[in-house]
């Protein structure tokens, strides 16, 4: 019966999305300004993590190892377009370092970065060969597992991307934390200068969960506990600028008194 429950909820969500598209046809069928933009991180094993960032003309892939919350990464930065510009990365963990890759198809690998048990932020931009004109900057945050080892559970992830010519919403973002999924997607410039966002929260196994669109108008948040597979919609909202979502999970209180809460936040920048 669980798949049937999920299917029913998905159909309801699809109907809600269709209604949103109906009131905003121009945004729904426009080519997104952020085509080619994306960001992600994911634990692929108990101690392995991969981070990616893309903007048109530049790509970052960082492979990392997480030993009890202390992480080390190897960066691969690629300049993917022969337009006389460079790919630029600003990497912030225990320290901040800057790196460039110049030349179409050129990949620069950076190893030996300072280890970090802190949250990591990666910024990917296009830059001039003189390294003085950074544009089209994209960002991803990777939370620390040093004080919360649940974060480095295999499968935990956050990712978002703009769709390439897709005729529905402009972009989508997904957070997976344990047995909880928080997904949100939006239409940019609907209404003018804002981002219309639809979202939903899914519990795949018995657990408590919450999903929140940060800085949303009106406030859009939901929290519930479920003993079975369940999807619930959050209120439709608007956000100006960066669209940030926060998904959390914790054990049902009847099992563990005062259970710890585990959370992941992902932000979707407005492409420029």
């Amino acid at each position: 019966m669980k798949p049937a429950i999920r299917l029913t909820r998905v159909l309801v969500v699809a109907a809600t999305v269709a209604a949103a598209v109906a009131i905003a046809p121009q945004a729904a069928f426009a080519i997104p300004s952020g085509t080619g933009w994306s960001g992600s991180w994911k634990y692929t094993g108990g101690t392995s993590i991969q981070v990616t960032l893309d903007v048109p003309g530049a790509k970052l892939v960082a492979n990392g190892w997480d030993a009890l919350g202390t992480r080390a990464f190897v960066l691969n930065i690629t300049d993917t377009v022969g337009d006389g510009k460079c790919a630029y990365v600003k990497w912030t963990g225990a320290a901040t370092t800057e790196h460039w890759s110049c030349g179409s198809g050129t990949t620069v690998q950076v190893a030996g970065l300072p280890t970090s048990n802190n949250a990591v932020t990666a910024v990917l931009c296009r830059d001039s060969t003189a390294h003085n004109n950074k544009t089209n900057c994209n960002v991803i945050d990777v939370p620390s597992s040093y004080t919360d080892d649940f974060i480095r559970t295999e499968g935990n992830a956050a990712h978002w991307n703009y769709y390439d010519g897709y005729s529905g919403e402009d972009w989508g973002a997904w957070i997976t934390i344990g047995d909880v999924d928080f997904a949100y997607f939006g239409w940019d410039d609907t209404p003018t200068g804002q981002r219309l966002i639809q979202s939903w929260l899914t519990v795949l196994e018995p657990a408590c969960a919450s999903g929140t669109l940060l800085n949303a108008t009106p406030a859009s948040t939901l929290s519930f506990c479920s003993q079975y597979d369940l999807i619930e919609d959050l209120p439709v909202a608007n956000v100006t600028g960066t669209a940030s979502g926060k998904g959390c999970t914790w054990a049902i209180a009847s099992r563990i008194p005062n259970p710890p809460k585990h959370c992941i936040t992902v932000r979707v920048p407005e492409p420029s």
Side-chain angles (χ1 to χ4, degrees):
M1 293 299 294
K2 289 183 179 180
I5 294 171
R6 295 185 64 190
L7 179 58
T8 300
R9 296 297 302 161
V10 169
L11 290 175
V12 171
V13 170
T16 304
V17 173
V21 173
I23 64 173
Q26 291 184 344
F29 293 100
I31 297 175
S33 61
T35 297
W37 289 59
S38 67
S40 72
W41 64 262
K42 182 177 182 177
Y43 274 90
T44 57
T47 58
S48 301
I49 184 172
Q50 185 175 77
V51 181
T52 68
L53 273 177
D54 290 276
V55 295
K59 184 176 185 64
L60 160 68
V61 177
N63 293 300
W65 296 266
D66 190 329
L68 302 179
T70 301
R71 296 174 295 181
F73 290 88
V74 173
L75 309 182
N76 290 278
I77 309 159
T78 303
D79 181 354
T80 61
V81 176
D83 59 0
K85 294 184 179 181
C86 302
Y88 162 83
V89 169
K90 181 180 180 180
W91 185 269
T92 302
T96 296
T97 57
E98 296 179 295
H99 310 277
W100 288 264
S101 175
C102 303
S104 179
T106 300
T107 297
V108 171
Q109 187 174 88
V110 184
L113 294 172
T115 58
S116 173
N117 55 21
N118 302 311
V120 166
T121 297
V123 178
L124 174 69
C125 307
R126 295 292 283 152
D127 199 1
S128 65
T129 54
H131 299 172
N132 63 359
N133 186 24
K134 299 170 183 63
T135 59
N136 308 124
C137 294
N138 191 0
V139 62
I140 191 81
D141 305 303
V142 186
S144 172
S145 66
Y146 185 71
T147 58
D148 184 4
D149 59 7
F150 186 83
I151 294 294
R152 60 178 178 269
T153 300
E154 183 175 356
N156 279 354
H159 74 279
W160 67 270
N161 64 275
Y162 268 78
Y163 304 123
D164 186 3
Y166 187 67
S167 61
E169 63 272 13
D170 291 342
W171 53 266
W174 299 265
I175 294 171
T176 299
I177 178 75
D179 291 318
V180 171
D181 289 335
F182 178 44
Y184 59 103
F185 53 91
W187 295 264
D188 285 351
D189 208 32
T190 306
T192 302
Q194 297 186 51
R195 313 171 90 178
L196 176 69
I197 301 178
Q198 169 71 44
S199 55
W200 66 87
L201 184 64
T202 306
V203 171
L204 301 172
E205 297 291 342
C208 295
S210 67
T212 303
L213 294 176
L214 306 179
N215 302 318
T217 304
S220 186
T221 187
L222 180 66
S223 179
F224 63 86
C225 298
S226 178
Q227 293 283 357
Y228 57 88
D229 192 350
L230 181 64
I231 302 176
E232 294 289 347
D233 304 341
L234 276 73
V236 176
N238 289 95
V239 169
T240 300
T242 298
S244 295
K246 181 178 181 180
C248 301
T249 187
W250 61 99
I252 294 177
S254 60
R255 295 184 174 187
I256 302 175
N258 301 315
K261 182 178 290 188
H262 315 287
C263 299
I264 291 173
T265 299
V266 64
R267 47 178 165 162
V268 182
E270 276 193 304
S272 60

